[in-house]
Amino acid sequence: MWLTDIPANLLSLGAIDFGIIVDGTIVMMETILKKREDNPDLPLDKANIAKRVTEVAKPIFFATLIIIIAYMPLFAFERVEQKLFTPMAFTLSFALLGALASALILIPGLAFAVYRKPQKVYHNRWLERLTEIYKRHTAKLVAVPKKIFAPITIVLATVIGLSISVGKDFMPQLDEGSIWLQVQLPPGMSLEKSSEMATVLRDKIKDFDEVTYAMTQTGRDDEGICPFSFSHIEVMVGLKPYNTWKNGRRKSDLIADMEAMIDTMSGYNAGFSQPIIDMVMDQIAGAHSDLAIKIFGEDITESRRIAEQIAEVLKDVEGATDVGIMEEPFLPQLQIVADRDKIAQYGLNVADVAELIEVAIGGMAVSQVFIDSRVYDVICRYKEESRDTPEKIGNLMLTSGSGIKIPLSQVAEIRMTAGASMISREMNQRFVTVRVNPRGRDLTSFVKDAQEKIEQQVNYDHSKFRFHWVGQLENQHRAFSRLAVIMPITLAVMFLLLFFTFGKFRQAGLLIGMLPLAVFGGMLALVIRGMTFNISSAVGFIALFGVFLQNGVIMISHINILRKRGTELKEAVISGSSHRLRPVLMTATVAILGLLPASLSHGIGSDVQRPLATVIVYGLLFGTVLTLYVLPTLYYMLEKRNLKKETLNENVA
């Protein structure tokens, strides 16, 4: 971390499971301890121990390497997800490399030094009875292995159903411990009136017991990046620590109460967000909301109509909140349209009309004043009482070349109209933005429902106008698209590593083929706990695959070792799986206990880690059952069929 300049914080260390890191150490220690338990009265032979250590070193090395490779998709992330998960991937990879060196170099020497002399070894009676029970169950399954197909089929079908039905998001909702409001006031608001309404809003918000302060800022920021007028207010709301809130109230309850309060206040239209995510979404999508629809088209009036219709449709979609249009409504405008024919009749030109309008209404610099080193323009403009109505503007006089005074209304049409106060552009195209924050629903299902209703209820010319979803949905599509490319590559690399470990394609294929079953526990936990499948939970599944394959490698490698020693297939499966019961249970238990607090935590900053930890914890609970029962049974069926083929080929030859 020091060499790569990765700081130690919640992102780099928060989701690291130290149980996963010590898995290789547990297997190495278990190997030497088992030798001592089998021969309590004899000194350990150095050569024999070296042979045992060498046998397990290869599967430990490749199993650890597989876990590191499992995190390869995290290095392919970009933007927000890269900032959140790449530090964890680097840190865990470094830790696993250090743990591998410890398991292969340090632990064998320390364990041999401790156990080399004859000594009484503590026996866990409960674990020994559990091992005998497990051995009997394995023998029954191996005797009738086809019975395993029915449960596997049910689990696989359930996994498919859960994968379809589970909600899908880009990221879990991150609690920043504060609230950020985007408040829209009536258009054309003066600074004085806007400040007055901001004060009223602050006082109302500070009446809530959970609020520590409320700070407002009116109009655009100092940099002038956001094209806001005085009709726009941004409110920063500080909150007290959650453990001091009364009656078990949550942040969502406070937001609902604030929303209800603002709805009763005339002239206020508020959208709720959080400071950091609001800034991020503004930079990424150009919208101060989780989701936004940009309607592109050259006719700004028709684009506005379409946007208003879409906003009305979105209000009827379940989970839609803070629906509104980002651009301010049309405002009254004074239009002066010059009549070139009449101008020519009076011996004038358009420049004369433009100069009159500039001087009378806009003001023109006619001189300069020097005060010390500063220069100030002297502006000439007609008095306000001479230009405050269209009629008075029409009475402004032009002077022709012959000295005749001509009213402006004689050579131009002066009228009041309504026009856009702000025109947004992207890639040289005009657009109007409709904002919306989905609340209480996953992103994918919300967008699906919204799109269906928009297509059914909003009428527009598809050849001239189009709309595009931006915000979290855009991030979700980008991140999941990258995962769809990198995950097959990762699985292919894992398959090659498994082949190098076992030397047989069929055994490597067996473990890779069981990965869809390993998804069951994590996916079921997401559905039961009301979570969604997002980048955080996807990272959890990636880690789960690595740990599941590691335990599978430990199991199959030991069975292969027993077969190389001459043990018959059935006995090797039963004995080998029972020998590996303790290390598999230990590795799974320490991994589960290591992430259990993260899966249950609800404090500030835990939102990113909770889905990840939930998937690993509950996925390992079911994955351990697969490793202990399904894997040996399928291995036996696969190898028995291969033995029959080899015997048949020998007889034919």
Side-chain angles (χ1 to χ4, degrees):
M1 292 174 67
W2 178 73
L3 291 174
T4 54
D5 196 26
I6 297 176
N9 52 34
L10 182 65
L11 298 179
S12 60
L13 299 176
I16 289 184
D17 188 345
F18 292 96
I20 297 176
I21 294 175
V22 301
D23 281 355
T25 302
I26 290 174
V27 174
M28 183 64 74
M29 189 71 184
E30 160 69 17
T31 300
I32 299 175
L33 179 60
K34 187 70 170 61
K35 185 65 177 176
R36 165 51 62 208
E37 290 176 342
D38 293 341
N39 303 277
D41 300 325
L42 299 175
L44 295 181
D45 180 60
K46 186 181 298 185
N48 194 287
I49 292 298
K51 181 181 178 182
R52 290 289 184 94
V53 168
T54 304
E55 287 178 344
V56 298
K58 181 180 178 181
I60 289 175
F61 174 79
F62 280 102
T64 305
L65 197 59
I66 285 171
I67 293 183
I68 296 176
I69 293 299
Y71 284 92
M72 188 168 67
L74 275 64
F75 297 104
F77 283 159
E78 58 182 3
R79 297 187 185 178
V80 178
E81 60 272 23
Q82 180 189 46
K83 299 293 184 182
L84 291 175
F85 295 108
T86 302
M88 183 194 74
F90 273 112
T91 305
L92 187 57
S93 298
F94 297 151
L96 284 170
L97 290 174
L100 177 63
S102 175
L104 298 182
I105 300 173
L106 180 63
I107 297 302
L110 292 178
F112 180 75
V114 173
Y115 292 114
R116 63 179 177 177
K117 296 181 180 180
Q119 55 187 279
K120 184 179 180 181
V121 180
Y122 169 76
H123 291 274
N124 189 323
R125 303 299 179 186
W126 177 84
L127 187 59
E128 289 179 350
R129 287 195 296 269
L130 183 62
T131 303
E132 290 299 321
I133 295 173
Y134 170 69
K135 193 172 184 178
R136 290 197 299 270
H137 288 172
T138 306
K140 290 179 180 179
L141 281 175
V142 170
V144 281
K146 292 184 179 180
K147 285 187 175 181
I148 204 73
F149 286 137
I152 288 178
T153 304
I154 294 173
V155 170
L156 189 58
T158 306
V159 167
I160 296 174
L162 291 173
S163 301
I164 296 174
S165 62
V166 70
K168 298 173 182 64
D169 278 323
F170 169 59
M171 286 289 294
Q173 188 69 32
L174 309 181
D175 185 6
E176 300 174 19
S178 58
I179 299 175
W180 183 263
L181 278 75
Q182 298 280 348
V183 183
Q184 193 66 34
L185 305 178
M189 186 74 62
S190 66
L191 177 59
E192 291 75 14
K193 184 61 177 178
S194 178
S195 299
E196 179 185 332
M197 295 182 71
T199 302
V200 172
L201 181 60
R202 281 199 310 272
D203 294 339
K204 290 283 187 180
I205 290 176
K206 287 189 292 186
D207 287 340
F208 289 95
D209 292 336
E210 297 83 2
V211 174
T212 57
Y213 66 87
M215 180 178 64
T216 59
Q217 56 186 43
T218 303
R220 66 191 63 185
D221 53 16
D222 294 335
E223 290 80 10
I225 298 173
C226 297
F228 294 140
S229 68
F230 296 139
S231 297
H232 187 88
I233 301 173
E234 293 182 327
V235 187
M236 175 68 179
V237 181
L239 303 178
K240 296 177 181 178
Y242 294 147
N243 56 9
T244 64
W245 290 19
K246 300 177 181 178
N247 304 322
R249 280 168 60 82
R250 298 176 298 176
K251 187 177 180 181
S252 57
D253 301 325
L254 176 61
I255 291 176
D257 291 345
M258 285 185 178
E259 192 171 24
M261 180 266 293
I262 293 175
D263 287 342
T264 63
M265 300 171 64
S266 178
Y268 295 85
N269 182 16
F272 290 81
S273 183
Q274 299 178 101
I276 297 176
I277 192 63
D278 181 86
M279 179 183 63
V280 170
M281 297 312 301
D282 183 33
Q283 295 294 321
I284 293 177
H288 296 270
S289 58
D290 290 340
L291 269 179
I293 306 176
K294 291 182 177 179
I295 299 95
F296 291 88
E298 289 304 313
D299 188 342
I300 196 67
T301 303
E302 180 64 10
S303 296
R304 181 79 188 193
R305 183 198 66 80
I306 297 172
E308 290 174 350
Q309 198 170 355
I310 288 177
E312 289 301 318
V313 171
L314 287 177
K315 290 177 181 178
D316 295 331
V317 179
E318 181 185 354
T321 60
D322 307 333
V323 180
I325 299 176
M326 293 290 294
E327 288 76 15
E328 293 186 16
F330 287 178
L331 292 175
Q333 293 182 348
L334 175 68
Q335 282 191 350
I336 303 176
V337 182
D339 188 330
R340 292 179 179 270
D341 293 335
K342 290 184 178 181
I343 291 174
Q345 290 177 6
Y346 288 107
L348 300 170
N349 55 53
V350 176
D352 296 327
V353 176
E355 184 179 2
L356 174 64
I357 295 171
E358 181 182 2
V359 173
I361 301 175
M364 176 183 287
V366 295
S367 181
Q368 291 181 327
V369 175
F370 292 84
I371 300 177
D372 296 331
S373 61
R374 297 182 181 181
V375 181
Y376 299 92
D377 288 335
V378 177
I379 304 297
C380 176
R381 185 166 60 175
Y382 283 23
K383 292 182 178 181
E384 187 173 353
E385 55 267 22
S386 301
R387 54 180 172 83
D388 57 0
T389 66
E391 290 76 15
K392 291 180 179 179
I393 293 175
N395 292 330
L396 299 177
M397 293 298 180
L398 290 160
T399 303
S400 68
S402 59
I404 299 174
K405 299 293 184 181
I406 303 166
L408 179 61
S409 59
Q410 294 296 314
V411 295
E413 181 185 358
I414 304 169
R415 60 176 182 261
M416 293 297 297
T417 62
S421 59
M422 180 177 69
I423 299 178
S424 301
R425 291 182 180 271
E426 184 177 287
M427 300 298 290
N428 204 30
Q429 290 182 302
R430 291 179 174 181
F431 69 89
V432 179
T433 305
V434 180
R435 72 180 186 194
V436 59
N437 285 320
R439 205 175 294 165
R441 285 192 69 182
D442 67 281
L443 192 65
T444 303
S445 65
F446 176 85
V447 172
K448 182 180 178 181
D449 289 352
Q451 284 179 328
E452 291 177 355
K453 291 191 176 184
I454 290 172
E455 288 298 327
Q456 294 171 1
Q457 302 178 29
V458 179
N459 300 316
Y460 63 97
D461 188 343
H462 289 67
S463 63
K464 296 182 179 179
F465 299 91
R466 63 181 178 88
F467 67 86
H468 177 59
W469 290 88
V470 297
Q472 296 285 29
L473 183 68
E474 199 173 29
N475 293 332
Q476 182 191 36
H477 287 167
R478 186 199 68 253
F480 284 2
S481 296
R482 294 185 72 85
L483 279 178
V485 173
I486 197 66
M487 277 305 296
I489 299 174
T490 303
L491 292 175
V493 175
M494 288 180 174
F495 179 83
L496 290 176
L497 290 175
L498 290 172
F499 170 71
F500 292 145
T501 305
F502 304 132
K504 298 179 178 64
F505 281 114
R506 61 180 182 274
Q507 293 180 0
L510 172 62
L511 268 181
I512 291 293
M514 288 184 65
L515 288 181
L517 298 176
V519 172
F520 175 77
M523 198 65 74
L524 182 63
L526 291 179
V527 173
I528 292 176
R529 299 193 66 184
M531 297 181 177
T532 60
F533 180 78
N534 48 52
I535 293 299
S536 177
S537 51
V539 172
F541 280 113
I542 291 171
L544 175 64
F545 289 164
V547 179
F548 176 78
L549 291 177
Q550 181 190 51
N551 288 336
V553 167
I554 293 170
M555 177 73 73
I556 292 179
S557 297
H558 189 63
I559 296 175
N560 288 339
I561 290 173
L562 293 180
R563 291 183 65 192
K564 287 180 181 179
R565 294 175 183 172
T567 308
E568 185 264 336
L569 174 61
K570 187 174 184 179
E571 180 60 28
V573 171
I574 297 173
S575 299
S577 57
S578 61
H579 289 169
R580 283 293 172 254
L581 173 65
R582 183 163 64 179
V584 168
L585 286 180
M586 289 178 65
T587 54
T589 301
V590 294
I592 290 171
L593 292 178
L595 282 177
L596 186 60
S599 70
L600 300 176
S601 175
H602 285 81
I604 295 177
S606 65
D607 307 271
V608 177
Q609 317 295 353
R610 189 165 56 250
L612 181 152
T614 296
V615 167
I616 296 178
V617 168
Y618 298 98
L620 270 181
L621 285 174
F622 182 75
T624 303
V625 176
L626 288 176
T627 303
L628 294 177
Y629 289 99
V630 178
L631 181 59
T633 306
L634 293 179
Y635 175 92
Y636 173 75
M637 294 179 63
L638 187 67
E639 292 300 313
K640 184 178 180 181
R641 182 180 180 183
N642 185 70
L643 286 176
K644 287 182 179 180
K645 285 184 179 180
E646 291 178 353
T647 304
L648 182 62
N649 292 335
E650 290 176 359
N651 293 335
V652 171

